Amino acid sequence: AVGALLGSRIGKALDDADRGCFGHVLGIGAAGKPVKWSDPSSGVSYTLVPGAGRNVKEKPCRDYSLTATRGKTTEKRQGTACQASVGVWSLLGD
């Protein structure tokens, strides 16, 4: 689910810790407030901006905007993720 988030070179660097950060931010982050973290093992820095929560098919979901940067390369993704279970989010449409 979240592992294929960006789908290209940088997105493939998303490891378990990054997926944990992604889920944590979606679970408790304030809408519109960017949260940043870096993965020293991959050299990728992330900025995730969670959107407002809503229900889709009776599951809690949030829109998000994710930016991943390594060196001079930046990739962006916007979408919606829904909570499959506590701390586990699946991307809608993927």
Side-chain angles (χ1 to χ4, degrees):
V2 178
L5 191 58
L6 294 169
S8 63
R9 293 181 310 273
I10 291 178
K12 290 178 182 169
L14 207 67
D15 64 15
D16 287 342
D18 298 322
R19 286 188 288 275
C21 289
F22 183 86
H24 188 72
V25 172
L26 289 181
I28 65 169
K33 301 252 179 171
V35 176
K36 298 179 182 187
W37 74 92
S38 295
D39 183 338
S41 65
S42 67
V44 179
S45 296
Y46 298 94
T47 302
L48 177 61
V49 182
R54 59 190 167 98
N55 285 330
V56 175
K57 297 183 182 177
E58 299 186 29
K59 290 189 176 190
C61 299
R62 293 186 87 170
D63 294 330
Y64 66 86
S65 175
L66 178 69
T67 303
T69 303
R70 181 190 296 148
K72 294 182 180 183
T73 304
T74 297
E75 297 176 14
K76 295 181 181 183
R77 164 99 189 229
Q78 292 182 322
T80 302
C82 294
Q83 190 172 26
S85 61
V86 176
V88 178
W89 292 76
S90 296
L91 304 181
L92 262 179
D94 286 348

